[in-house]
Amino acid sequence: MSYLATWILGVPFILWLRSSSHLTRMNICLGAVGVGVIAMLMLQLMAKVGPLHLQQVAFGALVSAGLALCVALTFCWIAKVPFASD
């Protein structure tokens, strides 16, 4: 699911940020958190065994947001993305 989210939502978002000259660490991290939460909600809906409770959705969103932030920061570090646009 995370690879799908990366290629369907993340890569176009990065390319759009680059083409609009808004490619910064903050923008990438904010986008990654949003994509991570959406991906986790989709995964929870697809793998649903019973009814989803608010606590399960909130915990899943929190964990996926944290993981997405870690991935985004690693990407920014490897790609040497600036903190602010020039």
Side-chain angles (χ1 to χ4, degrees), residues 1-85:
M1 189 66 173
S2 64
Y3 287 123
L4 272 170
T6 298
W7 286 106
I8 293 172
L9 299 173
V11 172
F13 180 69
I14 297 281
L15 293 174
W16 175 75
L17 284 175
R18 187 177 70 175
S19 69
S20 64
S21 299
H22 288 89
L23 187 66
T24 64
R25 287 184 191 211
M26 179 63 77
N27 291 339
I28 290 174
C29 290
L30 289 174
V33 167
V35 168
V37 170
I38 290 169
M40 181 55 75
L41 290 174
M42 297 305 288
L43 182 63
Q44 285 178 328
L45 289 174
M46 288 179 1
K48 181 171 95 166
V49 175
L52 287 177
H53 300 289
L54 181 61
Q55 294 89 357
Q56 292 171 328
V57 174
F59 181 73
L62 185 63
V63 168
S64 65
L67 291 173
L69 186 61
C70 290
V71 170
L73 288 172
T74 303
F75 169 80
C76 291
W77 175 63
I78 291 171
K80 295 181 173 64
V81 175
F83 285 102
S85 59

